[in-house]
Amino acid sequence: MPDIPWSTPHEPAPGAEVYVMASRFETETLSGALRFFLKAPGIIRQIRKAPGAHGVALRARVTRRTFLTLSAWEDRDALHRFARSEPHRSSSRAASAFMKESAFTYWTVPASELPIGWAEAERRLAERKQAY
């Protein structure tokens, strides 16, 4: 699957700070990766409609069973409201059954630095992994 490139659902206010989340998921099996892959477009659509969402992108490597997500939010509360809403809530619970590993990292940036690139997201995820 080609990457789903960065899209900006709601422009942040000029000069605002935004809350960024990067995640990495690895499934146990190829079957699990296909299940994750099939749910991803619906979750991306949900983010694009979510209040406080300022950006979203997905990097899917189905045959490697690995997925990266990147999103930007008005604040931490906006991200948490999205995470607790459907279909994300039930999809993430179901995915835990076939997940091998997952990692998350969070930081803030000036809105003028959006979109965040994959190199920055991967660097921050790697730093987080080394810290443990």
Side-chain angles (χ1 to χ4, degrees), residues 15 17 21 28 35 50 57 63 87 89 91 96 105 114 117 122 125:
E17 285 274 310
M21 182 194 80
E28 290 277 0
R35 289 166 60 188
T63 58
R89 182 180 174 179
S91 291
S96 67
T105 190
L114 295 179
E122 290 183 56
L125 285 162

Side-chain angles (χ1 to χ4, degrees), residues 26-35 62 65 98-100:
E26 183 180 348
T27 64
E28 290 277 0
T29 64
L30 185 56
S31 169
L34 291 172
R35 289 166 60 188
V62 177
R65 304 179 336 270
F98 53 83
M99 213 45 72
K100 178 179 180 181

Side-chain angles (χ1 to χ4, degrees), residues 100-131:
K100 178 179 180 181
E101 179 181 298
S102 59
F104 303 87
T105 190
Y106 310 89
W107 69 99
T108 58
V109 298
S112 61
E113 292 185 18
L114 295 179
I116 304 297
W118 287 114
E120 177 68 6
E122 290 183 56
R123 181 186 68 77
R124 288 180 179 265
L125 285 162
E127 284 178 357
R128 184 202 166 278
K129 190 172 185 175
Q130 291 173 356

